[in-house]
Amino acid sequence: MKHYEVEILDAKTKDKLCFLDKVEPNATIGEIKSMFHKSHPQWYPARQSIRLDPKGKSLKDEDVLQHLPVGTTATFYFRDLGAQISWVTVFLTEYAGPLLIYLMFYFRVPFIYAPKYDFTTSKHWVVHLACMCHSFHYVKRLLETLFVHRFSHGTMPLRNIFKNCTYYWGFAAWMAYYINHPLYTPPIYGEQQIRLALIVFLFCQIGNFSIHIALRNLRPPGSKTRKIPYPTKNPFTWIFLLVSCPNYTYELGSWLGFTLMTQCLPVAFFTLVGFIQMTVWAKGKHRSYLKEFRDYPTLRSPILPFIL
């Protein structure tokens, strides 16, 4: 059996960082990263980007050396991805923040509103309903992070946690300030509008959860296998017939329901910004499905059936 010699160069300077002798042909990029880590302890595997070209795409950890377009002396290029943090930690932090921040405004802790309103409660029942819906949404997200989601990538750059938390925590504070404000006025169409909004919100929350369960069941524990998601016996998953990323479709529906319920401009703006971001993600996921699976259903749209 022939063995490979592997040299790893710095992608920026082209300096040789490491030379590995007698590497097995069936060694994966993940195993090569571990070997590289032994000689450079500061660059743990999750922090490494190994590529065939200095400006090319990162190779996957599961890529096998003998299946790559390299000779018996393989040259790879290394790029430092920076300090990494686990996806679970990021999600727990960015979701716990809005939950606690919103409750601070709901209970009107001191220094938010005028002193005479400290620890008072709103006279409008929609304010209490909105607090329950907002709390339910983020408790659901926290539980899904812990018990449902299976991440294809274990980590993300540490800087992302500051960006993500600024987004979620900032919007939560902005929305909560106005919804729980002593001068807040209920929706113009009263109970009918609120009840319709609640139905939309709960329907989409159940739908979102159903999609997350369906996606989880596609990927065995510890696997990075990707499959085409299809509808299951659960009616909430039938939207897979028309949409590639129905989890985002339902998420959008939930926030539209919350906007209708509170009739609050910051909530509407949060919904719009979220919709734009989720559309970007959905289009990217849709493209990757089309690229990876030749038999991918052509009827599907990224996020909105027949539209977008």
Side-chain angles (χ1 to χ4, degrees), residues 28-268:
T28 63
I29 291 298
E31 290 167 343
I32 290 172
K33 284 182 178 181
S34 297
M35 297 176 203
F36 180 54
H37 177 229
K38 289 178 182 177
S39 59
H40 295 276
Q42 73 273 31
W43 292 319
Y44 45 90
R47 189 168 179 158
Q48 300 173 31
S49 167
I50 302 293
R51 49 192 76 183
L52 291 168
D53 183 85
K55 295 181 180 178
K57 288 185 177 181
S58 298
L59 294 169
K60 296 177 182 176
D61 283 355
E62 55 268 29
D63 286 339
V64 178
L65 184 57
Q66 64 183 350
H67 298 154
L68 295 171
V70 294
T72 50
T73 301
T75 301
F76 295 111
Y77 295 90
F78 160 80
R79 191 176 287 270
D80 181 12
L81 296 175
Q84 300 288 298
I85 188 170
S86 78
W87 278 84
V88 171
T89 303
V90 172
F91 279 174
L92 292 179
T93 307
E94 69 185 36
Y95 296 156
L99 178 65
L100 298 174
I101 288 168
Y102 194 100
L103 289 173
M104 288 172 61
F105 284 88
Y106 174 73
F107 289 113
R108 295 178 179 170
V109 298
F111 308 112
I112 294 178
Y113 305 114
K116 66 178 180 179
Y117 295 115
D118 289 353
F119 298 113
T120 58
T121 57
S122 174
K123 61 184 179 182
H124 305 299
W125 68 278
V126 66
V127 171
H128 308 300
L129 180 64
C131 180
M132 286 188 281
C133 289
H134 189 275
S135 299
F136 173 81
H137 176 74
Y138 282 103
V139 168
K140 169 183 163 292
R141 282 194 170 190
L142 288 168
L143 293 174
E144 286 176 336
T145 300
L146 291 171
F147 303 112
V148 177
H149 294 321
R150 287 176 178 156
F151 302 101
S152 56
H153 300 286
T155 64
M156 67 163 70
L158 179 62
R159 61 182 177 274
N160 282 16
I161 196 169
F162 301 106
K163 179 179 67 177
N164 291 14
C165 287
T166 299
Y167 171 75
Y168 282 105
W169 295 19
F171 266 116
W174 191 28
M175 292 189 294
Y177 176 81
Y178 285 99
I179 296 171
N180 297 288
H181 198 284
L183 300 179
Y184 170 80
T185 53
I188 192 167
Y189 294 108
E191 276 193 32
Q192 283 185 313
Q193 180 174 334
I194 296 166
R195 286 176 177 169
L196 173 63
L198 178 62
I199 291 169
V200 171
F201 177 84
L202 292 176
F203 179 87
C204 290
Q205 286 288 286
I206 296 168
N208 180 264
F209 177 73
S210 299
I211 298 302
H212 286 160
I213 292 295
L215 292 174
R216 179 185 190 272
N217 293 338
L218 278 180
R219 179 177 289 159
S223 165
K224 294 185 179 180
T225 306
R226 281 165 58 88
K227 299 176 184 176
I228 300 175
Y230 286 105
T232 66
K233 292 178 181 178
N234 182 343
F236 285 96
T237 67
W238 295 352
I239 192 175
F240 268 126
L241 293 169
L242 301 174
V243 173
S244 290
C245 301
N247 49 322
Y248 297 144
T249 312
Y250 282 124
E251 182 78 7
L252 172 63
S254 293
W255 286 108
L256 286 173
F258 196 69
T259 303
L260 186 65
M261 178 188 299
T262 58
Q263 201 171 297
C264 184
L265 192 60
V267 180

